[in-house]
Amino acid sequence: MSFWNTCILTYCRLGIAGLSPKAPGTAGSALAALLAPLLFLPLPLWGRLLFLAVIVVTGGLAATRAEILLGRTDPGEVVIDELVGVWIALLPLGAGQWSWPGLVWAFALFRLFDIWKPWPVHASENWLPAGWGIMLDDILAGLMAMCCMLVLRALGWV
């Protein structure tokens, strides 16, 4: 396998998180939550939105390539979409406003919607081809979790 293909798979897997033998999506989501205070939450809102846009585009392209390299659609080891979903859920917690309980809430709510896949999360998997469909369902699950986070923030729970 070429160097670039190895890099693409490593990116899609978030290093080794996607190679977890059990629940790679949960492992990827947990890694995303742990990385957020270092790489995502310190940024201003416009920086977080820009960062998310870059990851959505690069993740969609990389996930499309990963499907080809791995020879299957929506491989479980591709977890870059989990990072996007968790970080969308964390948008209401800006720089200086996040807490460990808030991080746990965002992680748990995102995983709930990602596993449960209520409409339109499940349906969206087929709205776009290849890696774009992989990204879209987690974007929607992240948006649902973000709405819940906004309610929790309004209630003073995070």
Side-chain angles (χ1 to χ4, degrees):
M1 183 173 303
S2 76
F3 172 76
W4 290 113
N5 286 339
T6 301
C7 290
I8 288 168
L9 289 177
T10 301
Y11 178 66
C12 287
R13 292 171 176 154
L14 296 178
I16 62 167
L19 296 176
S20 173
K22 294 189 182 201
T26 300
S29 298
L31 180 60
L34 292 173
L35 290 175
L38 302 170
L39 303 175
F40 185 68
L41 292 171
L43 300 172
L45 180 59
W46 67 266
R48 285 180 274 142
L49 292 172
L50 180 61
F51 202 176
L52 280 171
V54 168
I55 295 172
V56 167
V57 171
T58 59
L61 292 169
T64 297
R65 182 69 182 148
E67 282 191 332
I68 294 166
L69 294 171
L70 298 170
R72 35 187 214 279
T73 58
D74 199 359
E77 63 197 78
V78 172
V79 294
I80 189 68
D81 52 328
E82 266 74 22
L83 179 128
V84 169
V86 170
W87 285 8
I88 288 172
L90 287 167
L91 277 174
L93 306 179
Q97 298 175 343
W98 73 275
S99 64
W100 289 108
L103 221 54
V104 170
W105 272 109
F107 166 81
L109 288 165
F110 169 72
R111 287 308 293 153
L112 172 73
F113 290 117
D114 189 34
I115 292 167
W116 177 31
K117 295 194 182 300
W119 191 91
V121 175
H122 181 66
S124 72
E125 292 175 330
N126 300 314
W127 291 350
L128 297 173
W132 304 104
I134 290 172
M135 299 300 285
L136 184 58
D137 76 310
D138 286 84
I139 290 169
L140 294 177
L143 288 170
M144 290 179 163
M146 181 186 75
C147 290
C148 293
M149 290 294 290
L150 288 167
V151 170
L152 293 174
R153 189 171 129 196
L155 294 172
W157 290 11
V158 294

